Amino acid sequence: MSMELFDNDAEEIAYYKSKFEELRSRLELILNNYRPVMNGEIYLSGEDLCKLLHISKRTLQQYRDDNILPYVQIGGKIIFRQSDILEILERNYINKS
């Protein structure tokens, strides 16, 4: 009889372990994609923007140097306002129709 209890417990433990892993994966995804809002605005790091635009760090640097992309520099940290990036993308949209 104690063996049956152990088997039932083992199944239950395996179930909760899988649910825990699922929850951990979801939390990891949220934390990796979370962007804090400051004064109603989302700011992106250079790395985030490179991924979003599919460009290299060097290209991003060139866009900053050429005043194509506005940015905020605080100390040595450079961030980009998401609304500025969206505005630039909309302004430079070319409709192929």
Side-chain angles (χ1 to χ4, degrees):
M1 186 157 212
S2 66
M3 193 61 150
E4 287 178 8
L5 279 175
F6 181 77
D7 288 342
N8 287 339
D9 286 345
E11 287 177 26
E12 191 174 349
I13 289 171
Y15 170 79
Y16 285 115
K17 184 178 177 184
S18 72
K19 289 298 181 186
F20 177 75
E21 285 302 316
E22 190 179 309
L23 180 61
R24 187 187 62 77
S25 295
R26 287 183 182 185
L27 284 173
E28 224 172 73
L29 182 67
I30 290 168
L31 290 173
N32 288 338
N33 294 304
Y34 174 72
R35 299 293 170 258
V37 176
M38 291 184 279
N39 199 23
E41 186 69 54
I42 295 175
Y43 289 86
L44 303 169
S45 68
E47 184 178 329
D48 292 334
L49 195 52
C50 286
K51 287 178 186 176
L52 182 67
L53 298 177
H54 302 285
I55 59 173
S56 68
K57 289 180 181 180
R58 180 65 191 112
T59 300
L60 182 61
Q61 174 68 50
Q62 192 63 51
Y63 288 170
R64 284 197 321 260
D65 293 347
D66 293 344
N67 294 318
I68 294 170
L69 294 178
Y71 60 93
V72 176
Q73 184 169 4
I74 302 172
K77 179 77 174 167
I78 295 175
I79 54 177
F80 302 85
R81 213 171 12 198
Q82 186 180 38
S83 62
D84 288 343
I85 303 305
L86 292 173
E87 180 184 324
I88 289 167
L89 290 172
E90 286 293 323
R91 196 172 344 129
N92 290 288
Y93 178 74
I94 299 171
N95 191 347
K96 294 271 186 174
S97 306

